[in-house]
Amino acid sequence: MTRAALLVCPASGRGRAGRVADAVAARLRTAVDSLNSHVADSAEGTLALARRAVDDGVDVLVVLGGDGAAHLAVQACARSGTALAVVPAGTGNDLASALGASSVEDVVAALRAGGRRSVDLGRLETGTWFATVLCAGFDSAVNERANALRWPAGPRRYDLAILAELAVLRPQRLRVDADERVLELDALLVAVGNTSSYGGGIPVCPDADVNDGLFDVTVLAAAPRRALLRMLPALRTGRHVDHPAVRTFRARSVTLSGPSWVGYADGERMHEVPVSATCVPGALSVVSSITSV
């Protein structure tokens, strides 16, 4: 018997989640034995409802929302007996994509097939978990700008934010302590990937694997603005890692220090650098039809 809870974040996707909530609930009920729906009216409410569902012992918590809502649900589901599923209804939907969910139909199929997987999570020194990418520098500035924009919707919002931030881009001195490695350089951004993508499908850490117990780290060293403009199309394909200004490596624990940057994780604002994170193997159970999530 599968007991599930649906957590609806109605503001996600500029109200899209609220509009489709009833239809999503109806489809999910065809794949589980019982389903209770909960509607959150704030970030605090989302987290509280997610924790209540986990405390009640539901087998699956399904989030209808974007990466922000999924990030809050991860805080409740990490190291628990409750599996997380995400029905994408936000701006970026990077965690849903990593789990192979482009719609409620993908989640329904995985539930019917019993598709459960354990995946790694990142954990900040504050105790906050993240499922996708921790970033700082240019990419976190893009996040800040994208979150403030009211138009356009979807991934194009990030594209517009990228162009705007390029105009004011300045490198800063960055130190990365990664296991036994120390890297110091003038840098423009750093991304610590548990999964490959952020910002609505940008594969900043294209080879990241959520089952290897390691982060993939991507660092962009200082480079002329014109070179960065030429690199932008490669960001969408993951080929940016071939650029001589880009350095990549893997590590279990990472500490970022030096610049006056703000760290973002799962697209959510964390705190200013310095920031430390550790990869915790198998910390989250998820519903997914992808065998190599």
Side-chain angles (χ1 to χ4, degrees):
M1 180 174 181
T2 300
R3 294 177 57 232
L6 173 63
L7 178 54
V8 181
C9 302
S12 293
R14 301 179 69 179
R16 178 175 179 271
R19 293 191 296 271
V20 302
D22 290 344
V24 167
R27 290 297 297 135
L28 291 172
R29 287 193 172 96
T30 68
V32 297
D33 296 293
S34 67
L35 179 80
N36 293 321
S37 293
H38 308 276
V39 179
D41 58 4
S42 65
E44 294 79 9
T46 300
L47 181 58
L49 288 171
R51 285 179 169 158
R52 185 181 306 166
V54 171
D55 289 344
D56 286 346
V58 298
D59 300 299
V60 179
L61 175 62
V62 183
V63 175
L64 174 60
D67 285 322
H71 172 78
L72 294 169
V74 165
Q75 310 312 307
C77 292
R79 284 180 167 169
S80 78
T82 298
L84 176 66
V86 183
V87 177
T91 299
N93 303 313
D94 288 300
L95 181 55
S97 295
L99 301 181
S102 61
S103 70
V104 66
E105 298 304 326
D106 293 323
V107 174
V108 168
L111 285 167
R112 288 176 175 167
R116 302 280 184 91
R117 305 285 182 269
S118 291
V119 299
D120 305 340
L121 288 177
R123 195 173 197 185
L124 303 182
E125 75 277 15
T126 59
T128 300
W129 299 94
F130 67 93
T132 57
V133 179
L134 166 69
C135 64
F138 174 67
D139 37 10
S140 59
V142 167
N143 259 305
E144 297 237 286
R145 187 177 290 270
N147 289 342
L149 292 173
R150 312 320 292 167
W151 179 92
R156 290 185 179 180
R157 182 181 302 178
Y158 292 98
D159 294 337
L160 183 61
I162 285 171
L163 293 174
E165 286 300 322
L166 273 173
V168 295
L169 186 62
R170 298 289 184 276
Q172 294 193 41
R173 193 69 181 174
L174 172 69
R175 176 182 170 116
V176 183
D177 290 85
D179 295 343
E180 304 303 317
R181 176 196 299 262
V182 177
L183 178 65
E184 290 190 76
L185 74 170
D186 292 331
L188 295 169
L189 69 82
V190 56
V192 180
N194 184 51
T195 61
S196 63
S197 299
Y198 64 4
I202 298 173
V204 65
C205 300
D207 296 323
D209 180 349
V210 293
N211 294 117
D212 65 358
L214 297 170
F215 293 129
D216 276 36
V217 183
T218 299
V219 182
L220 175 58
R225 190 173 282 107
R226 61 182 178 275
L228 297 177
L229 285 168
R230 289 196 297 268
M231 189 192 301
L232 282 180
L235 275 171
R236 285 292 181 185
T237 64
R239 295 297 304 274
H240 61 285
V241 297
D242 299 327
H243 193 280
V246 175
R247 305 190 187 186
T248 62
F249 52 91
R250 291 186 170 95
R252 187 175 302 279
S253 296
V254 177
T255 297
L256 312 175
S257 57
S260 56
W261 290 343
V262 175
Y264 266 68
D266 292 340
E268 297 297 298
R269 199 178 204 272
M270 297 292 113
H271 59 80
E272 292 183 353
V273 170
V275 60
S276 297
T278 300
C279 185
V280 182
L284 180 68
S285 176
V286 297
V287 173
S288 174
S289 58
I290 300 178
T291 57
S292 59
V293 168

